[in-house]
Amino acid sequence: MRTFLISILLFCAFLKMNAQNASLGNVTIAQLEEKRHPKDSAAVAAILYSNIAIDLNANGNSQKTTTKKVKIYKSEGYNLSNVQIYFAAGKLNYVNIVSAYTYNLVDGKIVKTKLKPENEFIEKTNSSYWIKKIAFPEVKEGSIIEYQFTEEGGFSSLYHWNIQENIPVNYSELKTTLPDAFEFKRNLKGFFPPKITSKIANTYNYIATETTYVFQNLPAMREEAFVNNMDNYRTGISLELERIAVPGQFYKTFSSDWTSVAKTIYDFDSFGVELNKSGYFEDDLKVVLEGKVKPDAKITAILEYVKSNVKWNQHNGYSCEKGVRKAYKEKTGNSADINLMLTAMLRAAKLTANPVLISTRSNGIAYFPNLNAFNYVIAAVETGDEMILLDATDPYSTPNVLPLRDLNWIGRLIRKDGTSESIDLAPKKFAADNIAVDYTIEAGGRING
C-alpha cells in the first residue's frame, strides 16, 4: 500500500511538472543556462515540450492546436527557428498564430522577444496548398523558442504525425477528442510506444472519446545516407477514418482496398478525364514518330520529346495542376500534367500505356489504402512480359531509370477498364557503367592521369 501511494504521488508530480512545461511563458533560467542536451551532447537543439490537441466535432470539422518549446544549443539548430505551417490554398483564416516568443538570458535575466508581424510570411506554393512561415527574432545559441498556433480543417488533419524528430524529444503529447460516431483505425509505428489513456469526454452534446498519447525521452533519429526516408521509421501515429455511423440517420464506410482507391482517383476530373483528352499533340507526335517502328524506339522518342518540351515546376501530385492541354501549350506543369500527357501520347502511338500511382520517398510508404497514400504519378508501358516505367519530369531519366524520389517500394498501375495491380518500383538491373581511372599523385598534390 505504501509503495502504491508513493507511485501515485510521483505520477501526480510528473503530471504537474509537464503541465507547467505546457503553459506558455514558463521558461526558466536553468533551461536557458543549459549548454548541451543531458542525453545527447551532439544535439544541435531539442524539443523540450510538444503538445498537439485535435478536437473533431460532430459535423466533421476539426480544430488542431499545436504548442512547442524548442531549445537551441548550437548555431546549426538555427533553422528550427524558421517554422512552416502548411494549409489549404486560400484558407488564410484557417491558421492563427496564438503566441510566438524567443527567450534569451541576458546579464542573468530572462529577456522575452515577441514575434513581429513582419516576421510572418505566406508562400502561395500552388493551387493545392500554401505555407505560412514564421521567422523567430533574436535567436542565438542558448535561446528557447516557444509558439502556439491553431488550425481549422476536416478529416485531412487527422492523418499522420511523426513524433520522433532529427533532434531529441524530451516530452511529447498528442490528444484527440473524437465523436464516437466517427470510427478510426489507429496505426502506431516506430520503436517507442506511447503511454495511452482514454476517457469519455462529457463536455459535449454528443458522446466523444478523449485519448492521450504520451511519449518521453525520444532520441534523435538523424538522417542516414542509405535510408530512403527516415520518416518510415520514426515513432509516430496514423489515424485512418473507417466509418461514420450515426444511429438511425447516417452510415458510410470509408475503409477500402487499393483497387477502390485507384478507381476513385482514376475517376477524378483532374486524372482520368485529363488522361483521355486529345487534339493538342497529334501533329507534333507524327513528326516525333517518323521512321520509328519498334516499340522501344517509340517509347524513347516520346519520352525524350516530352522531357525536352515540358518542364517540371517541382510540384508533386497525381492530380493535374494546369491540365494537360495548358501544360503542353505553356511548356510547364506538375508531375501529373507531364506524366499523364506522356501516357496519352504513348497510347496514341498504339502502345499499351497506363498511369502508375506512387508515393515518393518524401511522402513515405503507403501503409494502408486511402487517397492520401499517393502523391505522384508516372507512366508504364507493357511490352509482352516486360513493364517499362517512365518519368518525364527529370531530364536525366530514361526507360526503366526513374528519378531517385520515385524509388519507394511499390506503385499502383491503373488500366483503362478500372482494374489495377501493384508494381515493384525497384530497379531490375545493376548500373551498366564502369569507370577506370589511371593516375599518379605528385609530391605537391597535383594529379596526372
Side-chain angles (χ1 to χ4, degrees):
M1 187 64 179
R2 181 182 178 185
T3 303
F4 175 75
L5 289 173
I6 292 174
S7 299
I8 292 294
L9 289 172
L10 289 173
F11 180 70
C12 291
F14 168 79
L15 291 178
K16 183 178 180 181
M17 176 187 70
N18 286 296
Q20 290 173 346
N21 285 338
S23 60
L24 293 173
N26 185 40
V27 173
T28 67
I29 291 178
Q31 289 175 330
L32 289 167
E33 287 179 333
E34 192 172 77
K35 300 298 183 184
R36 61 183 61 85
H37 192 271
K39 295 186 178 181
D40 185 353
S41 60
V44 300
I47 306 295
L48 301 182
Y49 179 85
S50 174
N51 178 282
I52 299 173
I54 300 285
D55 192 343
L56 181 68
N57 65 27
N59 296 321
N61 298 316
S62 68
Q63 177 158 318
K64 173 182 175 182
T65 302
T66 301
T67 306
K68 248 183 184 179
K69 185 183 295 184
V70 182
K71 168 72 177 184
I72 308 294
Y73 293 112
K74 303 177 183 180
S75 58
E76 293 87 344
Y78 288 173
N79 63 304
L80 293 164
S81 64
N82 297 315
V83 178
Q84 299 187 22
I85 306 167
Y86 293 79
F87 63 96
K91 305 293 186 180
L92 287 171
N93 60 324
Y94 279 30
V95 179
N96 178 43
I97 306 298
V98 177
S99 177
Y101 290 93
T102 303
Y103 295 85
N104 286 300
L105 195 61
V106 180
D107 297 329
K109 295 182 180 180
I110 297 176
V111 176
K112 179 178 177 182
T113 306
K114 187 177 181 179
L115 181 75
K116 297 179 181 178
E118 55 264 31
N119 293 116
E120 296 185 34
F121 313 91
I122 297 293
E123 181 180 310
K124 298 180 179 180
T125 312
N126 55 45
S127 60
S128 299
Y129 67 89
W130 291 356
I131 307 175
K132 189 177 186 69
K133 298 183 176 182
I134 55 178
F136 282 81
E138 302 297 328
V139 174
K140 58 191 72 174
E141 291 185 8
S143 297
I144 291 177
I145 62 170
E146 178 189 74
Y147 57 94
Q148 184 181 84
F149 62 90
T150 61
E151 302 168 81
E152 293 181 18
F155 298 126
S156 60
S157 303
L158 301 167
Y159 175 54
H160 176 77
W161 302 274
N162 277 325
I163 306 298
Q164 196 170 16
E165 304 196 25
N166 292 343
I167 58 176
V169 177
N170 293 4
Y171 181 91
S172 184
E173 182 179 286
L174 170 67
K175 185 170 75 173
T176 62
T177 303
L178 309 175
D180 286 1
F182 297 85
E183 296 183 29
F184 289 86
K185 180 193 296 181
R186 181 175 66 205
N187 299 278
L188 299 174
K189 68 183 182 72
F191 306 100
F192 301 92
K195 294 180 180 178
I196 305 174
T197 57
S198 293
K199 66 178 182 179
I200 300 300
N202 54 14
T203 56
Y204 302 91
N205 57 2
Y206 49 85
I207 300 175
T209 300
E210 182 181 289
T211 306
T212 303
Y213 308 84
V214 174
F215 302 84
Q216 296 181 77
N217 300 320
L218 300 183
M221 183 173 278
R222 301 181 178 93
E223 296 295 328
E224 295 285 348
F226 298 103
V227 177
N228 61 3
N229 185 354
M230 293 298 293
D231 286 348
N232 293 334
Y233 309 97
R234 298 184 198 280
T235 294
I237 301 175
S238 298
L239 293 179
E240 174 196 5
L241 181 64
E242 288 193 291
R243 66 183 60 86
I244 301 176
V246 181
Q249 297 183 44
F250 182 81
Y251 182 87
K252 183 174 182 180
T253 299
F254 291 88
S255 229
S256 59
D257 53 29
W258 287 115
T259 300
S260 300
V261 169
K263 189 177 186 313
T264 299
I265 293 174
Y266 195 90
D267 290 340
F268 287 166
D269 289 343
S270 57
F271 193 94
V273 173
E274 292 289 337
L275 182 61
N276 295 323
K277 286 182 178 178
S278 59
Y280 63 96
F281 61 75
E282 283 78 0
D283 291 341
D284 294 330
L285 185 61
K286 290 178 182 178
V287 177
V288 171
L289 294 178
E290 190 172 351
K292 311 292 190 305
V293 178
K294 294 183 177 181
D296 287 351
K298 290 182 178 181
I299 292 169
T300 301
I302 294 173
L303 176 64
E304 292 300 320
Y305 176 77
V306 176
K307 281 174 17 182
S308 60
N309 283 275
V310 187
K311 303 303 179 185
W312 183 41
N313 62 11
Q314 305 296 314
H315 297 168
N316 295 339
Y318 57 67
S319 294
C320 287
E321 198 170 84
K322 294 183 175 183
V324 289
R325 284 182 179 149
K326 188 175 181 182
Y328 190 80
K329 181 180 179 181
E330 297 182 355
K331 299 184 180 298
T332 181
N334 74 343
S335 57
D337 291 323
I338 293 172
N339 285 326
L340 292 182
M341 177 196 305
L342 171 66
T343 305
M345 295 177 76
L346 292 165
R347 286 180 174 179
K350 308 301 181 184
L351 296 165
T352 306
N354 292 294
V356 178
L357 296 166
I358 70 170
S359 174
T360 60
R361 291 188 172 204
S362 62
N363 195 54
I365 296 170
Y367 287 104
F368 49 80
N370 67 94
L371 296 177
N372 293 321
F374 303 111
N375 72 323
Y376 201 91
V377 63
I378 60 174
V381 179
E382 297 177 72
T383 58
D385 296 332
E386 187 180 11
M387 185 76 70
I388 300 173
L389 302 179
L390 307 164
D391 187 345
T393 65
D394 192 300
Y396 300 107
S397 71
T398 58
N400 273 338
V401 178
L402 299 173
L404 188 62
R405 62 177 171 271
D406 295 358
L407 303 180
N408 192 32
W409 291 29
I410 60 172
R412 193 84 194 173
L413 179 141
I414 318 177
R415 295 188 175 88
K416 290 181 180 180
D417 60 3
T419 62
S420 66
E421 66 175 88
S422 62
I423 298 294
D424 187 0
L425 301 173
K428 304 300 183 294
K429 298 179 181 179
F430 289 105
D433 292 340
N434 293 292
I435 300 172
V437 181
D438 184 13
Y439 63 91
T440 58
I441 304 176
E442 298 177 356
R446 181 182 177 86
I447 298 174
N448 289 318

